[in-house]
Amino acid sequence: MTEPVPALQNHPGDVEFPVRSRWKYARMLEARRKADPKARGRRALPVTAIAAPFGILGFILSLVWAGPADFGVNMFGFFLGTCLGLLVASIVLAVRDAGAPRRAQQQYLALAGRPALTLRQQQMLALDAVSDFGMRGWNSSLAFTPTFAELPQDSRARHREGADGSPWFALPLPAMPQLRAALDEQFKIVSRSDAELLVADTLARGLLSTRFAEVAHSDAAEHMMSRIAALTDLPVFDIHDLARGDDERAPRLLLAADIERAIGGVRYAFVAGYLSADEAWALLEPLAARAFGAYRDRDAYWRDVVIATAFRTDSLEAVQRQRETLIELQRSDWPAASVPWPSAW
């Protein structure tokens, strides 16, 4: 029995789910060609192949109509035929470009050979969905962006892991050194053990929770709590409750945001080639289990993520932008918007 084929997702840089043929992609690819001399040169070949026969046909028809002696008419026939051919070529190639991102993603998935997501895996990835939606990335795969890490070794070697560009003009793949440099800058991850340490630290007490706890027990606590309440338009008592625990449970602090961050870091480590898919899923599972055990539903989870954004950025604009992204996600066709929240693990 064959495994289910993974479904198409949105085109990176766009949120329509799944990717479809759209004229906007034809315009996007044409704009990229204008900025790339090599791409313009490659485009000239199919244009010539389509337009040239029309020019020749126009020349032949003019010969039949006016005879070979009338050189001016013959050249006008050739010119008219060529213009018609260029028009036909532009339409045919634009139609082809409109569907190019969809075809490229199909080819990428065929090369990657990854299995379709399980319900459980999509539930885990949904914990990182607002970030993916905001950056117009992928959320229905472990990889949040197309990556050479998912491609066969011969494809990686042929393109020198991105140094020689992407296998698809319509689906750019970031170079692996670029991904690894960004991962190090954002998460200080340069190995599998670094990713494992991020998960362990998050499950013990994450970076944001640690900072929040320090401020919550300092002289600046009242000001900080009031400021977060104002930024999020939530009761200040709700913010205080995050720092309070009891005999049965530790303070929740900013657990949701720490989990979201750790999930993003693990997925980034996979995209950068430090983790295999099996290793990445194994690291994500305890993070997801903690989230599903601590929060009754997705609204409660994302509410705490928004609170963490207010604490981390001290910016009303950042809070508003995140809330707007969350609303747009919930209205979208992304699986993360409708996947059920587990009642228990």
Side-chain angles (χ1 to χ4, degrees), residues 4 16 38 43 60 65 73 89 95 112 114 120 126 138 155 216 220 230 235 245 269 282 302 319 325:
E16 183 181 26
K38 290 183 179 179
R43 184 65 156 194
I60 292 173
W65 181 66
V73 172
V95 170
R114 60 164 126 95
R120 179 170 176 164
W138 284 346
S155 296
W302 288 115
V319 171
T325 301

Tab-separated table of all heavy atoms in Angstrom, residues 4 16 38 43 60 65 73 89 95 112 114 120 126 138 155 216 220 230 235 245 269 282 302 319 325:
chain	number	residue	atom	x	y	z
A	4	PRO	N	0.096	8.098	1.422
A	4	PRO	CA	-0.613	9.255	0.848
A	4	PRO	C	0.376	10.316	0.380
A	4	PRO	O	1.407	10.550	0.998
A	4	PRO	CB	-1.457	9.763	2.019
A	4	PRO	CG	-1.544	8.626	2.974
A	4	PRO	CD	-0.279	7.845	2.812
A	16	GLU	N	-2.569	32.280	-0.338
A	16	GLU	CA	-3.654	31.478	-0.924
A	16	GLU	C	-3.326	29.994	-0.808
A	16	GLU	O	-2.227	29.556	-1.179
A	16	GLU	CB	-3.864	31.847	-2.384
A	16	GLU	CG	-5.021	31.083	-3.014
A	16	GLU	CD	-5.227	31.426	-4.475
A	16	GLU	OE1	-4.252	31.843	-5.141
A	16	GLU	OE2	-6.362	31.290	-4.959
A	38	LYS	N	20.373	36.426	-17.311
A	38	LYS	CA	20.380	35.023	-17.724
A	38	LYS	C	18.956	34.513	-17.953
A	38	LYS	O	18.692	33.770	-18.902
A	38	LYS	CB	21.080	34.167	-16.661
A	38	LYS	CG	22.578	34.392	-16.576
A	38	LYS	CD	23.200	33.451	-15.558
A	38	LYS	CE	24.712	33.649	-15.487
A	38	LYS	NZ	25.342	32.743	-14.471
A	43	ARG	N	14.454	33.037	-21.677
A	43	ARG	CA	13.097	33.329	-22.137
A	43	ARG	C	13.059	33.564	-23.643
A	43	ARG	O	12.056	33.276	-24.309
A	43	ARG	CB	12.579	34.568	-21.403
A	43	ARG	CG	11.136	34.924	-21.729
A	43	ARG	CD	10.185	33.864	-21.262
A	43	ARG	NE	8.853	34.369	-21.050
A	43	ARG	CZ	7.896	33.729	-20.405
A	43	ARG	NH1	8.158	32.531	-19.909
A	43	ARG	NH2	6.706	34.246	-20.248
A	60	ILE	N	5.546	33.537	-46.426
A	60	ILE	CA	5.075	32.621	-47.475
A	60	ILE	C	3.743	33.101	-48.052
A	60	ILE	O	3.534	33.106	-49.277
A	60	ILE	CB	4.945	31.198	-46.912
A	60	ILE	CG1	6.332	30.642	-46.586
A	60	ILE	CG2	4.225	30.273	-47.889
A	60	ILE	CD1	6.309	29.312	-45.858
A	65	TRP	N	0.519	35.826	-52.383
A	65	TRP	CA	-0.406	36.907	-52.718
A	65	TRP	C	0.223	37.929	-53.679
A	65	TRP	O	-0.400	38.341	-54.659
A	65	TRP	CB	-0.843	37.598	-51.433
A	65	TRP	CG	-1.821	38.720	-51.659
A	65	TRP	CD1	-3.098	38.626	-52.134
A	65	TRP	CD2	-1.578	40.108	-51.434
A	65	TRP	NE1	-3.676	39.859	-52.223
A	65	TRP	CE2	-2.761	40.809	-51.792
A	65	TRP	CE3	-0.484	40.840	-50.970
A	65	TRP	CZ2	-2.878	42.176	-51.698
A	65	TRP	CZ3	-0.588	42.209	-50.864
A	65	TRP	CH2	-1.773	42.876	-51.228
A	73	VAL	N	6.315	44.042	-49.923
A	73	VAL	CA	5.143	43.322	-49.413
A	73	VAL	C	5.571	42.050	-48.698
A	73	VAL	O	5.021	41.676	-47.657
A	73	VAL	CB	4.157	43.001	-50.562
A	73	VAL	CG1	3.037	42.085	-50.082
A	73	VAL	CG2	3.581	44.286	-51.138
A	89	ALA	N	3.011	34.191	-28.551
A	89	ALA	CA	4.034	33.704	-27.614
A	89	ALA	C	3.840	34.306	-26.232
A	89	ALA	O	3.960	33.606	-25.211
A	89	ALA	CB	5.428	34.034	-28.142
A	95	VAL	N	0.380	32.214	-19.812
A	95	VAL	CA	-0.466	31.149	-19.255
A	95	VAL	C	0.410	30.092	-18.572
A	95	VAL	O	0.088	29.609	-17.482
A	95	VAL	CB	-1.329	30.510	-20.359
A	95	VAL	CG1	-2.021	29.255	-19.848
A	95	VAL	CG2	-2.358	31.507	-20.866
A	112	ALA	N	11.331	15.509	-3.108
A	112	ALA	CA	11.501	15.419	-1.654
A	112	ALA	C	11.033	14.061	-1.130
A	112	ALA	O	11.632	13.509	-0.203
A	112	ALA	CB	10.747	16.548	-0.964
A	114	ARG	N	8.571	13.253	0.695
A	114	ARG	CA	8.118	13.187	2.078
A	114	ARG	C	6.675	12.703	2.151
A	114	ARG	O	5.883	12.968	1.251
A	114	ARG	CB	8.260	14.530	2.771
A	114	ARG	CG	7.484	15.670	2.169
A	114	ARG	CD	7.425	16.811	3.180
A	114	ARG	NE	7.878	18.087	2.693
A	114	ARG	CZ	7.086	19.030	2.204
A	114	ARG	NH1	5.806	18.800	2.081
A	114	ARG	NH2	7.583	20.183	1.814
A	120	ARG	N	-1.965	14.488	13.845
A	120	ARG	CA	-1.156	14.884	15.005
A	120	ARG	C	-0.038	15.848	14.601
A	120	ARG	O	0.229	16.835	15.292
A	120	ARG	CB	-0.587	13.629	15.646
A	120	ARG	CG	0.304	13.874	16.859
A	120	ARG	CD	0.578	12.564	17.529
A	120	ARG	NE	1.499	12.667	18.642
A	120	ARG	CZ	1.655	11.728	19.573
A	120	ARG	NH1	0.937	10.628	19.501
A	120	ARG	NH2	2.511	11.877	20.550
A	126	ALA	N	0.495	23.612	13.832
A	126	ALA	CA	-0.432	24.733	14.007
A	126	ALA	C	-0.008	25.634	15.163
A	126	ALA	O	-0.399	26.810	15.212
A	126	ALA	CB	-1.847	24.217	14.235
A	138	TRP	N	5.361	28.094	4.749
A	138	TRP	CA	4.578	26.857	4.778
A	138	TRP	C	4.287	26.464	6.220
A	138	TRP	O	5.145	26.601	7.096
A	138	TRP	CB	5.350	25.726	4.117
A	138	TRP	CG	5.380	25.786	2.623
A	138	TRP	CD1	4.602	26.558	1.821
A	138	TRP	CD2	6.239	25.028	1.761
A	138	TRP	NE1	4.918	26.326	0.502
A	138	TRP	CE2	5.910	25.395	0.437
A	138	TRP	CE3	7.238	24.089	1.976
A	138	TRP	CZ2	6.557	24.840	-0.672
A	138	TRP	CZ3	7.881	23.529	0.885
A	138	TRP	CH2	7.534	23.908	-0.429
A	155	SER	N	20.684	16.343	-6.437
A	155	SER	CA	20.152	17.695	-6.679
A	155	SER	C	20.901	18.727	-5.847
A	155	SER	O	21.202	19.833	-6.326
A	155	SER	CB	18.661	17.745	-6.342
A	155	SER	OG	17.906	16.923	-7.183
A	216	ALA	N	8.835	40.182	36.905
A	216	ALA	CA	7.648	40.041	37.751
A	216	ALA	C	7.999	40.055	39.237
A	216	ALA	O	7.147	40.362	40.072
A	216	ALA	CB	6.906	38.761	37.407
A	220	ALA	N	10.124	46.681	39.148
A	220	ALA	CA	9.463	47.156	37.924
A	220	ALA	C	8.209	46.350	37.581
A	220	ALA	O	7.599	46.579	36.528
A	220	ALA	CB	10.440	47.107	36.751
A	230	ALA	N	-2.214	47.297	29.096
A	230	ALA	CA	-2.648	48.384	28.208
A	230	ALA	C	-2.414	48.027	26.742
A	230	ALA	O	-3.262	48.285	25.888
A	230	ALA	CB	-1.895	49.664	28.564
A	235	PRO	N	-7.310	42.582	31.203
A	235	PRO	CA	-7.257	42.973	32.614
A	235	PRO	C	-5.857	42.752	33.186
A	235	PRO	O	-5.217	41.728	32.904
A	235	PRO	CB	-8.271	42.042	33.284
A	235	PRO	CG	-9.179	41.602	32.180
A	235	PRO	CD	-8.329	41.537	30.959
A	245	GLY	N	1.695	30.835	40.776
A	245	GLY	CA	1.439	29.407	40.779
A	245	GLY	C	0.787	29.014	42.087
A	245	GLY	O	0.351	29.865	42.869
A	269	ALA	N	16.098	24.229	12.301
A	269	ALA	CA	17.243	23.318	12.323
A	269	ALA	C	17.071	22.199	11.302
A	269	ALA	O	18.043	21.727	10.705
A	269	ALA	CB	17.421	22.739	13.722
A	282	ALA	N	10.476	14.128	16.719
A	282	ALA	CA	10.658	13.646	18.095
A	282	ALA	C	10.882	14.803	19.063
A	282	ALA	O	10.447	14.747	20.227
A	282	ALA	CB	11.840	12.672	18.147
A	302	TRP	N	-3.012	31.334	21.895
A	302	TRP	CA	-2.589	32.518	21.155
A	302	TRP	C	-2.742	33.788	21.967
A	302	TRP	O	-2.004	34.763	21.757
A	302	TRP	CB	-3.360	32.615	19.835
A	302	TRP	CG	-2.919	31.574	18.851
A	302	TRP	CD1	-3.648	30.545	18.354
A	302	TRP	CD2	-1.615	31.451	18.270
A	302	TRP	NE1	-2.886	29.784	17.500
A	302	TRP	CE2	-1.632	30.320	17.425
A	302	TRP	CE3	-0.427	32.184	18.376
A	302	TRP	CZ2	-0.527	29.910	16.697
A	302	TRP	CZ3	0.675	31.774	17.652
A	302	TRP	CH2	0.630	30.651	16.822
A	319	VAL	N	1.860	44.274	18.599
A	319	VAL	CA	0.710	43.532	19.125
A	319	VAL	C	-0.439	43.566	18.124
A	319	VAL	O	-1.068	42.540	17.838
A	319	VAL	CB	0.274	44.108	20.484
A	319	VAL	CG1	-1.060	43.498	20.927
A	319	VAL	CG2	1.346	43.848	21.538
A	325	THR	N	-2.725	39.364	11.997
A	325	THR	CA	-2.272	38.148	11.329
A	325	THR	C	-3.053	36.935	11.810
A	325	THR	O	-3.447	36.071	11.016
A	325	THR	CB	-0.764	37.926	11.577
A	325	THR	OG1	-0.034	39.055	11.093
A	325	THR	CG2	-0.265	36.675	10.866
